[in-house]
Amino acid sequence: MSQATSPPIRRLADWDHERLERLAAEHGTPLYVVDLNRVQANYRRFAGAFPDAHVMYAAKAHTGRAVLSALLDAGADIECAARGELQRAIEAGADPDTLQYTAVNPPAADLDYATDLAADHPGLTITGGATDTFDRLEERGYDGRVAIRVNPGIGTGHHEKVATGKDAKFGIPYDQVPAVAADVAERFDLVGIHAHAGSGVLHDDLDDHCRAIAKVADMGRTVEDQVGDLEFVDFGGGFGVPYREDEEPLDMAVVGEKVRDAVGDLNAQIKLEPGRYVVADAELILTDVNTVKETPATTVVGVDASLATLIRPAMFDSYHPIRNVSAPDREAEPVSVGGPCCTSADVFCTDRPVARPERGDLLAIGNAGAYGYELANQFHSQPRPAEVAIAGDEERVVRRRETLDDVTRLEQD
C-alpha cells in the first residue's frame, strides 16, 4: 500500500470481511489482526507532511516486533519510554545509536540498562524530566547525550489521563528549564529539549496543541541563547485519528503548515514522535458473539473479547467502532456489547446501533492498534489473544495465543 493509494483513515468497512472471517476460523477469537502495509503507509504519510523533521515512532503505542520491524524497514527511528522498549527495538533491528530513551521516573534497572547501552553506543540519547534523573545519571558515570523534558503547562488530547503537557509528573516546570539547562550542559552533552502536550489530538485540540508547540519552540530559542546550540527540539507526538465514524481525519498537509507556523524560526532540527497516528487504524480485534440477551433496558450482546483484551473503553471511556462482520447488512439495532469479566466496566459499547448480532456472529472492534495489545492483561485468568500480521497476501502469526499454563507458569508453591 503506497502513500498515494492509502486513505487518511481506514474504517472498519474498508477491511476485507471474507478474509477476516477466514482468519477468525483459522486462529480463533479473540484475535488481533494488524496490517503492516497500513502501518508503513501511515508513517510515510506523516513523515511526508514534515519533510524537514526527524520523525521517530513512539514505541509505547505498539511494541510488537512485527510492527517495529515494519517501521524500521520504512525508514523510521524509534523513541522508547522504558527499558523493555529499548530492548525490543534493538531485537527488532534498530541501531542503538539511533534510539532515544525518554525516562519518566525511571527505575534503577532502566537507567542501568540505558547507561550500559550508551557505553557501547554513544549515539543513544537519554531524556530526563527531573533534576533527580540527571543526578542519577551522573552517579552512574554517564556524561553522554541528554535532552531535557519540558512541561509546557498546556495539556491536549482525548482524555485528561493523556494530557501530559499540564501534568506535573511529566517534565521540568517551564520556568525552571533555563537554569536546569545551564547545569545539565556543564555535566552532559545537552543535545535537545523535549515535550509532549497530549495524545489523540484532532481538529478541536489542534490550536491548543500548536500553542504548546510554540511555547516549547520559544524555550528552545531561550536555551540556545543562554547555553549554546541544540541539535534538536522534540515536540513529541499526539496527533490523533478519528475513532468515531462521523469524525474526519486530520489533513496532514494543513497540520504540517500549522506546526511550522507555530515553531517559527529555529536553528535546531524539529523532532516529532507519532505513535497512535501510525498504528491505531492498522489493527482490529475479532470476537465471537456467544450470548444475546433481551432485557427491558437493552439487548446485551456477549462476546469472548473483554477488558483483558482491550481495556481502553474501561480505562479511558474510549469509543471504538464495532461492526458485524458476519452480517453487516442486517438492520441495525441498539445493543450493549460486553465481555465475560465479572465487572460492569467490561463493556465495549452501550445502546449503540449495530447490525443485529446473533449467536455465532463475528464482530470486529476497530482502531485497536494503539495501546490495544500493549494494555492487554490476564484479568480473570484469561490468556492473552493471538495476533496475526498481514502484508498484502502474506499472513503470519506474530504472537501465539497464550494458554492457561502461560498464565500460571510464573507461580510457585
Side-chain angles (χ1 to χ4, degrees), residues 16 38 44 62 80 116 147 162 174 195 212 215 234 236 275 277 335:
D16 181 337
R38 179 67 184 175
R44 289 173 178 136
H62 193 307
C80 304
D116 288 347
V162 300
Y174 190 83
K215 194 171 180 181
D234 188 337
Y277 184 89
V335 298

Side-chain angles (χ1 to χ4, degrees), residues 56 72 77-78 80 86-87 89-91 93-101 113-114 116-118 120-125 145:
M56 308 186 78
L72 290 167
D77 285 331
I78 309 294
C80 304
L86 287 169
Q87 182 171 329
I90 293 168
E91 289 174 353
D95 178 352
D97 282 299
T98 66
L99 296 176
Q100 184 166 311
Y101 167 47
Y113 181 88
D116 288 347
L117 185 62
D120 294 323
H121 300 280
L124 175 74
T125 303
R145 293 167 56 87

